[in-house]
Amino acid sequence: MLSFTMEEYQDRLRKTKQRMEASGIEVLLLTDPANMNYLTGYDGWSFYVHQLVVVIIDEAQPLWIGRSQDANGARHTAWLHHDHIISYPEEYVQSLSKHPMDFVAQFLTEIGQGNRVVGVEMDQYYFTASCYQHLKQHLPLGHLKDATNLVNWVRLIKSDQEIEYMRRAARIVERSMQAGMDAIQIGVRECDVAATIYQTQISGTEEYGGDYPAIVPLLPSGIKTSSPHLTWTDGTYKQGETVILEIAGCYKRYHCPLARTLVVGQPDPHISELSKIVIEGLNETLEATKPGMTCGEVEAVWRKSIARHGLDKESRLGYAMGLNYPPDWGEHTASLRRGDTTVLQENMTFHVIPGMWFDHFGVEISESIRLTKSGCETFAEFPRELVCKQPDIHTAS
Amino acid sequence: MLSFTMEEYQDRLRKTKQRMEASGIEVLLLTDPANMNYLTGYDGWSFYVHQLVVVIIDEAQPLWIGRSQDANGARHTAWLHHDHIISYPEEYVQSLSKHPMDFVAQFLTEIGQGNRVVGVEMDQYYFTASCYQHLKQHLPLGHLKDATNLVNWVRLIKSDQEIEYMRRAARIVERSMQAGMDAIQIGVRECDVAATIYQTQISGTEEYGGDYPAIVPLLPSGIKTSSPHLTWTDGTYKQGETVILEIAGCYKRYHCPLARTLVVGQPDPHISELSKIVIEGLNETLEATKPGMTCGEVEAVWRKSIARHGLDKESRLGYAMGLNYPPDWGEHTASLRRGDTTVLQENMTFHVIPGMWFDHFGVEISESIRLTKSGCETFAEFPRELVCKQPDIHTAS
């Protein structure tokens, strides 16, 4: 039932402990669901209540601590021995008087870990300000140290099995993108296109099913393409409208994101011109990208390319990605942007997303890539072009 | 384009300011995307970066502060004047050296609000420990006060328009539940059932489209029904297997959750027996529930009912819900559990979910309800029974 071999989980744990040692952390509390899954295999939609995985530097197995009704879920999905699955009583759930981190602090103290240096993911969605305060207050010495992204950095270089899962996600995103584009037509509702994309993402292929991506289909149309993170409405597509589709395939929590831009009918000259510049810049960037370069150097190739056309892009060109849970498929480690000195290595994986947004329109055409020995390759194979969809005379009439 | 009238947004703001005044809070920072949407209409999948809505007690309009590429999304979806939409530069995004809350603290100081008492949602997913530390450090006086759930409590009683949206969500969940049940059959993959449910949830009805629910379809089967929050696999359904379906319809971010239990073929006697007890308890509870009772009193009706059969349920019986974003459709205010003294009033809305989980199986049969003048009514109309699905001889052969 596990997605990876025990050797792979042990290897991840070993690398995590090396980083803990280097940071002077003896007990690591992981609240990021992706990090929990990465080290133990735990997979459930229970991150809406407080839960964590505890890595103790001199103990062989991590501990899972969560809500009592989710403990069976941990028993079914994680490789941990059942005595390493600890649950807190229901009265701690969304309570005004009891906080789960009080339970955690007391538990760590009882097992003799309360006086050690405890690492916490200070800037992680599910580690709230209250979590921090309650731990600080209830651990005997309150030795808390910032361990934000400690495990995320271990995740940066993917194993062959992880790459295989991302390739499956790529097959799913190719189908989902095609299904979405096929469905868009004058008079069709945006929600029906989103529904078709979802159906394809989750159904997957004949050989393997899809998992839920960490981000819902982003489908801005018309003037709303001026901003990347709007979803859909139940309005219908109009003649001449631009549509951005940013979606991912997901397999066993591993993602392959992909963005394309489509016009229903003939594109406005601004859109075709901008698309050409974006594709040229993306092509030149992918051609140049190889191990040994820094993330900043990759972005410089892009920047130089679009500067020839008098353009500039303030936001980053891309980010590391792979395993994740809502609300983000990005890994929060390396970013393709000025000043990022991360050196590229084989099997790092990025979403290269040269989105350009202006006040009244935008264009996104992206690729998910893997660093190879001597360059990079895309996960998905999907035409890298602005799609101009001819109005269907039957529905448009 | 707004989902509610300006009067309704103003009324929400007025109630929020009353609570701020009662708590001694002069400037309220809201990071909960549901609270941001509730007060301003802002709707985008941008909560994976730091963003907030600021309510200043003596200012007419709130401020939206977020990432620069999302500012156009705020202009398109929120009712705020454009000079109330403030964006921080891209270099603050997932950066190791710059935190968006440094920008926020500096901005509040510049507009003369830095010395006031600032309320923050201490135990809200998107208000991390780092957010707290950066604000504390960079606000001149660092007067921070816990305002967790302050606006959530304003959301507790729904307006007629909100109830109407939840009724639309109910029509969507009825269809989605039926579509899921129709699709389950021996030999069918779980992912294909999830895909069908998604398709129906998002497509909605002929009159209105669906929005993405805050939680993905929860579809544990077989022994995994012993835990409520597992999703799906690409394995196939087997003869005699139990399947729990916990899903929601969603319209303009308003939810109607619903859970049912289905058996492929003949149920194990434990399952039929448990289902009868759950349905009897749920019926008795809904019959008794009315304004004036406390949440704890509602739970006592249920507890007494199942105690007749020698059963006990540790976890809460239900929770307030309505408007929300991932990862939870629950409102984090009133819970139907022992000791909750919230007094029920008309137009409060709850998900009453008497799930019972044992080591090898579980049953969930739930209803979403609205408190009426003299009792309560369910949003969805869906048979309240254990569904026994006869194997399809064509596919089972």
Side-chain angles (χ1 to χ4, degrees):
Chain A
M1 265 202 43
L2 290 169
S3 302
F4 297 93
T5 62
M6 272 311 300
E7 289 66 37
E8 188 155 345
Y9 286 112
Q10 291 299 343
D11 188 51
R12 295 168 174 190
L13 200 53
R14 191 180 50 73
K15 288 176 182 155
T16 299
K17 288 182 177 176
Q18 279 172 358
R19 283 184 181 262
M20 287 169 66
E21 194 145 22
S23 313
I25 290 169
E26 298 167 290
V27 177
L28 177 62
L29 308 188
L30 298 168
T31 43
D32 181 335
N35 292 337
M36 293 175 67
N37 173 288
Y38 186 71
L39 292 185
T40 72
Y42 178 66
D43 183 29
W45 190 288
S46 52
F47 39 87
Y48 75 92
V49 295
H50 294 300
Q51 57 176 21
L52 62 163
V53 159
V54 185
V55 180
I56 300 173
I57 195 138
D58 40 19
E59 295 276 344
Q61 272 195 38
L63 297 158
W64 178 97
I65 307 180
R67 185 181 186 181
S68 60
Q69 65 178 233
D70 292 316
N72 276 337
R75 288 181 196 110
H76 291 309
T77 59
W79 59 265
L80 307 177
H81 292 164
H82 290 187
D83 60 357
H84 281 62
I85 293 169
I86 314 297
S87 61
Y88 60 78
E90 286 291 320
E91 68 216 50
Y92 284 90
V93 175
Q94 296 172 359
S95 154
L96 300 180
S97 56
K98 293 186 167 197
H99 197 283
M101 289 300 165
D102 299 346
F103 176 93
V104 171
Q106 196 188 331
F107 178 80
L108 290 178
T109 306
E110 279 168 14
I111 62 168
Q113 303 294 333
N115 292 328
R116 302 183 88 176
V117 180
V118 175
V120 290
E121 298 176 292
M122 291 293 288
D123 207 15
Q124 202 281 318
Y125 308 114
Y126 302 110
F127 191 73
T128 66
S130 275
C131 287
Y132 176 75
Q133 284 204 323
H134 282 266
L135 282 177
K136 188 92 189 153
Q137 195 182 335
H138 291 283
L139 281 171
L141 301 180
H143 276 324
L144 294 180
K145 214 161 172 177
D146 189 2
T148 304
N149 293 342
L150 185 146
V151 174
N152 305 50
W153 283 102
V154 178
R155 283 160 43 200
L156 189 61
I157 299 179
K158 273 68 182 174
S159 71
D160 291 344
Q161 187 66 68
E162 289 180 293
I163 295 293
E164 169 58 24
Y165 289 168
M166 292 175 76
R167 288 192 173 126
R168 293 186 185 189
R171 299 296 81 77
I172 295 173
V173 80
E174 289 161 357
R175 288 169 180 234
S176 306
M177 183 64 78
Q178 193 59 56
M181 287 185 169
D182 289 348
I184 294 173
Q185 191 49 268
I186 294 173
V188 168
R189 298 187 306 177
E190 294 182 9
C191 59
D192 291 321
V193 172
T196 299
I197 292 170
Y198 256 124
Q199 207 280 334
T200 317
Q201 285 174 319
I202 306 304
S203 186
T205 75
E206 291 71 26
E207 295 78 35
Y208 40 83
D211 205 345
Y212 57 89
I215 303 180
V216 298
L218 300 171
L219 273 185
S221 64
I223 194 173
K224 289 190 287 179
T225 56
S226 60
S227 190
H229 298 123
L230 300 179
T231 52
W232 60 85
T233 69
D234 50 15
T236 57
Y237 293 104
K238 317 271 177 295
Q239 167 80 40
E241 214 163 43
T242 304
V243 186
I244 288 176
L245 302 95
E246 183 180 350
I247 63 177
C250 184
Y251 180 77
K252 290 189 186 289
R253 312 297 331 127
Y254 283 83
H255 291 75
C256 177
L258 189 70
R260 287 291 182 272
T261 303
L262 175 150
V263 179
V264 187
Q266 282 312 305
D268 179 287
H270 290 106
I271 305 279
S272 0
E273 191 50 38
L274 182 58
S275 299
K276 270 187 212 143
I277 295 168
V278 165
I279 292 168
E280 181 183 290
L282 179 56
N283 288 344
E284 288 176 16
T285 305
L286 296 184
E287 192 126 325
T289 299
K290 61 182 179 192
M293 287 171 84
T294 66
C295 286
E297 285 166 354
V298 171
E299 196 270 347
V301 177
W302 157 260
R303 189 154 28 88
K304 199 173 150 192
S305 175
I306 61 169
R308 286 202 305 268
H309 304 279
L311 290 181
D312 183 39
K313 172 178 159 67
E314 191 207 355
S315 55
R316 61 185 177 175
L317 177 67
Y319 46 81
M321 58 82 208
L323 170 69
N324 227 331
Y325 283 85
D328 193 8
W329 54 49
E331 226 163 56
H332 298 197
T333 49
S335 284
L336 303 176
R337 66 176 153 191
R338 211 187 288 225
D340 191 316
T341 56
T342 311
V343 177
L344 299 182
Q345 294 179 57
E346 192 179 355
N347 279 357
M348 285 185 182
T349 53
F350 289 87
H351 186 206
V352 187
I353 174 155
M356 301 286 288
W357 303 279
F358 295 88
D359 268 356
H360 298 285
F361 64 98
V363 163
E364 289 181 37
I365 295 170
S366 80
E367 294 290 354
S368 287
I369 63 162
R370 172 180 88 88
L371 271 292
T372 61
K373 268 202 173 44
S374 57
C376 77
E377 63 184 19
T378 64
F379 277 102
E381 290 190 26
F382 203 91
R384 205 175 297 159
E385 62 188 23
L386 174 71
V387 173
C388 300
K389 179 131 187 185
Q390 287 322 304
D392 181 335
I393 48 163
H394 299 294
T395 56
S397 65
Chain B
M1 262 201 47
L2 289 169
S3 303
F4 297 92
T5 62
M6 273 311 301
E7 289 66 36
E8 188 155 347
Y9 286 111
Q10 293 298 343
D11 188 51
R12 294 168 175 190
L13 199 54
R14 191 181 49 74
K15 288 177 183 156
T16 299
K17 288 182 177 176
Q18 278 172 359
R19 283 185 180 262
M20 286 169 65
E21 193 144 23
S23 313
I25 290 169
E26 299 167 289
V27 177
L28 177 62
L29 308 189
L30 298 168
T31 44
D32 181 335
N35 292 338
M36 292 174 67
N37 173 288
Y38 187 70
L39 293 185
T40 72
Y42 177 65
D43 183 29
W45 189 288
S46 52
F47 38 88
Y48 74 92
V49 294
H50 295 301
Q51 58 176 21
L52 61 163
V53 158
V54 184
V55 180
I56 300 172
I57 196 139
D58 40 21
E59 296 275 344
Q61 272 196 36
L63 297 158
W64 179 97
I65 307 181
R67 185 182 186 181
S68 59
Q69 63 178 234
D70 293 316
N72 276 337
R75 288 182 195 111
H76 291 309
T77 60
W79 58 265
L80 307 177
H81 291 165
H82 290 188
D83 60 357
H84 281 62
I85 293 170
I86 313 297
S87 62
Y88 59 77
E90 286 290 321
E91 67 216 51
Y92 284 90
V93 174
Q94 296 173 1
S95 154
L96 300 180
S97 56
K98 294 188 167 193
H99 197 284
M101 288 301 165
D102 300 346
F103 177 93
V104 171
Q106 196 189 331
F107 177 80
L108 290 177
T109 306
E110 279 168 13
I111 62 168
Q113 302 294 334
N115 293 327
R116 302 183 88 176
V117 180
V118 175
V120 290
E121 298 176 293
M122 290 295 286
D123 209 15
Q124 201 280 320
Y125 308 115
Y126 303 110
F127 191 72
T128 66
S130 276
C131 288
Y132 176 75
Q133 283 204 324
H134 282 266
L135 281 177
K136 188 92 189 153
Q137 195 182 335
H138 292 283
L139 281 170
L141 300 179
H143 276 325
L144 294 180
K145 213 159 174 180
D146 189 3
T148 304
N149 293 341
L150 184 146
V151 175
N152 305 51
W153 282 104
V154 178
R155 284 160 42 199
L156 190 60
I157 298 177
K158 273 70 184 172
S159 71
D160 292 343
Q161 187 66 68
E162 288 180 293
I163 295 293
E164 169 59 22
Y165 288 168
M166 292 175 75
R167 288 193 174 126
R168 294 186 184 190
R171 299 295 82 77
I172 295 174
V173 79
E174 289 161 357
R175 287 169 181 234
S176 305
M177 182 64 79
Q178 194 58 55
M181 287 185 167
D182 289 348
I184 293 173
Q185 191 48 268
I186 294 173
V188 168
R189 299 188 305 178
E190 294 181 10
C191 60
D192 291 322
V193 172
T196 299
I197 292 170
Y198 258 124
Q199 208 279 335
T200 317
Q201 284 173 320
I202 306 303
S203 186
T205 75
E206 291 70 26
E207 293 78 36
Y208 39 83
D211 205 344
Y212 57 90
I215 303 180
V216 298
L218 300 171
L219 272 186
S221 64
I223 193 173
K224 289 189 287 178
T225 56
S226 60
S227 191
H229 297 122
L230 301 178
T231 51
W232 60 86
T233 69
D234 51 15
T236 58
Y237 293 104
K238 317 270 176 300
Q239 167 80 40
E241 215 164 42
T242 305
V243 186
I244 289 176
L245 303 94
E246 184 181 348
I247 63 178
C250 183
Y251 181 76
K252 289 190 187 287
R253 312 297 332 128
Y254 282 82
H255 291 76
C256 177
L258 189 71
R260 287 293 182 269
T261 303
L262 174 151
V263 179
V264 187
Q266 281 311 307
D268 179 287
H270 290 106
I271 305 279
S272 3
E273 192 49 38
L274 182 56
S275 300
K276 269 187 213 145
I277 296 169
V278 165
I279 292 167
E280 182 183 291
L282 179 55
N283 288 343
E284 288 177 15
T285 305
L286 296 184
E287 193 126 323
T289 299
K290 60 182 180 190
M293 288 172 85
T294 66
C295 287
E297 285 166 354
V298 171
E299 196 270 348
V301 177
W302 157 260
R303 189 154 29 89
K304 199 172 152 194
S305 175
I306 62 168
R308 285 202 305 268
H309 304 278
L311 290 180
D312 183 38
K313 173 177 158 70
E314 190 207 355
S315 54
R316 61 185 176 176
L317 177 67
Y319 46 81
M321 57 83 209
L323 169 69
N324 227 331
Y325 283 84
D328 194 8
W329 55 49
E331 225 163 57
H332 299 195
T333 49
S335 285
L336 303 177
R337 65 177 154 191
R338 208 188 290 225
D340 191 316
T341 55
T342 311
V343 177
L344 298 182
Q345 294 179 58
E346 191 180 355
N347 278 358
M348 286 186 183
T349 55
F350 289 87
H351 185 205
V352 187
I353 174 155
M356 300 287 287
W357 303 279
F358 295 88
D359 269 355
H360 299 283
F361 64 98
V363 163
E364 290 180 37
I365 295 169
S366 80
E367 294 289 356
S368 286
I369 63 162
R370 173 179 87 87
L371 272 291
T372 61
K373 270 203 169 45
S374 58
C376 76
E377 65 184 17
T378 64
F379 278 101
E381 288 191 26
F382 203 91
R384 205 175 297 159
E385 61 188 22
L386 174 70
V387 174
C388 301
K389 179 132 187 184
Q390 287 322 301
D392 181 335
I393 47 162
H394 299 293
T395 55
S397 65

